[in-house]
Amino acid sequence: DFKIVVEHQTIESLEFRNSRRYLEILFDKYYGDFLRRNCDAIVGVTDEITRYEISRSGIDDKPHITIGNGCDVASLPVRNPPEDINGRLEILILAKFQKWHALDRVLEGLKNKPLSLDTVVHLVGSGKEMDRILEKAETCGLNKVFVSHGYLKGKELDDLFDRCHVAVGALGVHRKGLLQSTPLKNREYCSRGMPFISSSPDPDFPEDSPWILSLQADDSPLDFEQIVQFARAVIDDRDHPQKMRSFAIKNLDWSVKMYRLKSFLLAL
């Protein structure tokens, strides 16, 4: 005897519609409900996704569990943070840039209310959305603010983590029609001890986390004065990288995630 368990990383109908993948919409409509109804259990990465998939199955008491994304904490070194901002704010963004990363919120924030101190936004990754924002930055005279590094790993990436004061997570998950998310970049930021900005609740982190600046889930420009205050408050706690690392080991590591999944499967 065997069991069929399906895992869902997104609300498929929303993502397919947003990316105009109409053939996938049809497949999900005609075959998705059959799979959801006839599988033995459902795993979702957020409560929002799990609830949606259970509703699509039509069986309210179908076995299910929510387990957010994990990471290999031990593979990521803890950073050595800068001691202060000292007239220059450095921001890190890791991504394969899409519209839901909302780089435009960063650009518009700098356009609307430039900081009195120098600001550098380090972009690590690639994507058409990054290229689009870099073009807009050039027309706005902000091309020197954004530095594109491409794909980095090893010491080059470690050095950038040591240099930056704060990182940015996905700021436009609402553009997918989602309320919650569990981005991999948030897990890397936390494992390395880097405070970060987010606009969507992540079920693996407490709402009052001192290492996360939670913003509104809308398209409003970033308030960089607010970001400076947040970064300084975190930096004042010199132990924050070790505290974040400890949290990651206890809550985000794959060993923790797989223990919960194994227990669920054995019970099933």
Side-chain angles (χ1 to χ4, degrees):
D1 190 21
F2 61 89
K3 302 290 184 182
I4 297 175
V5 180
V6 292
E7 180 186 56
H8 296 267
Q9 296 275 337
T10 188
I11 292 179
E12 294 82 3
S13 58
L14 289 175
E15 188 151 324
F16 294 154
R17 193 175 300 116
N18 289 334
S19 54
R20 299 180 181 179
R21 292 155 61 186
Y22 301 117
L23 183 60
E24 283 92 338
I25 291 174
L26 289 176
F27 272 105
D28 182 54
K29 177 178 177 62
Y30 288 106
Y31 298 108
D33 287 349
F34 174 83
L35 177 60
R36 293 173 178 92
R37 184 168 59 252
N38 289 283
C39 71
D40 294 289
I42 287 176
V43 179
V45 297
T46 70
D47 291 330
E48 177 185 20
I49 291 171
T50 304
R51 288 193 300 268
Y52 170 81
E53 303 300 345
I54 290 295
S55 70
R56 285 282 301 270
S57 78
I59 304 171
D60 292 342
D61 61 351
K62 180 180 288 291
H64 61 274
I65 189 172
T66 298
I67 303 176
N69 284 315
C71 66
D72 181 6
V73 176
S75 69
L76 302 167
V78 182
R79 76 189 189 112
N80 297 307
E83 294 186 1
D84 202 351
I85 292 179
N86 293 326
R88 184 183 177 94
L89 175 68
E90 302 208 40
I91 298 172
L92 175 63
I93 311 179
L94 306 178
K96 183 174 181 181
F97 292 95
Q98 306 286 345
K99 65 179 182 179
W100 55 81
H101 291 110
L103 271 179
D104 51 290
R105 295 186 68 180
V106 180
L107 177 64
E108 293 300 319
L110 289 167
K111 277 175 55 180
N112 291 355
K113 191 176 181 182
L115 277 170
S116 57
L117 46 79
D118 290 338
T119 306
V120 179
V121 180
H122 298 278
L123 305 177
V124 178
S126 62
K128 292 182 179 179
E129 185 65 11
M130 182 184 76
D131 298 336
R132 187 181 74 83
I133 292 299
L134 289 175
E135 289 178 7
K136 287 190 68 175
E138 190 157 3
T139 62
C140 299
L142 292 172
N143 52 305
K144 292 183 179 179
V145 171
F146 292 88
V147 179
S148 175
H149 296 271
Y151 176 73
L152 294 180
K153 63 180 181 179
K155 188 175 186 304
E156 288 182 307
L157 183 58
D158 298 342
D159 289 346
L160 204 53
F161 267 94
D162 289 348
R163 177 177 169 180
C164 291
H165 302 95
V166 65
V168 176
L171 299 179
V173 173
H174 61 280
R175 295 177 181 178
K176 292 183 179 184
L178 296 175
L179 301 175
Q180 298 178 323
S181 65
T182 62
L184 295 175
K185 63 173 63 62
N186 291 5
R187 280 130 188 84
E188 178 165 1
Y189 294 152
C190 187
S191 297
R192 288 178 176 266
M194 170 71 84
F196 60 93
I197 303 164
S198 177
S199 69
S200 56
D202 186 322
D204 279 338
F205 291 88
E207 292 184 6
D208 59 349
S209 172
W211 316 306
I212 303 174
L213 176 59
S214 297
L215 304 180
Q216 291 294 317
D218 56 28
D219 295 332
S220 60
L222 298 194
D223 181 345
F224 278 85
E225 294 292 351
Q226 180 187 23
I227 293 171
V228 170
Q229 293 174 14
F230 165 69
R232 284 187 168 140
V234 177
I235 289 172
D236 282 345
D237 178 4
R238 299 307 298 168
D239 293 329
H240 75 268
Q242 288 71 34
K243 292 177 180 177
M244 295 181 73
R245 176 64 159 223
S246 177
F247 178 89
I249 291 171
K250 295 175 183 176
N251 297 277
L252 307 176
D253 191 76
W254 277 122
S255 62
V256 178
K257 302 292 183 179
M258 290 301 100
Y259 179 82
R260 290 191 62 212
L261 181 59
K262 177 183 176 182
S263 299
F264 175 70
L265 296 177
L266 288 175
L268 184 66

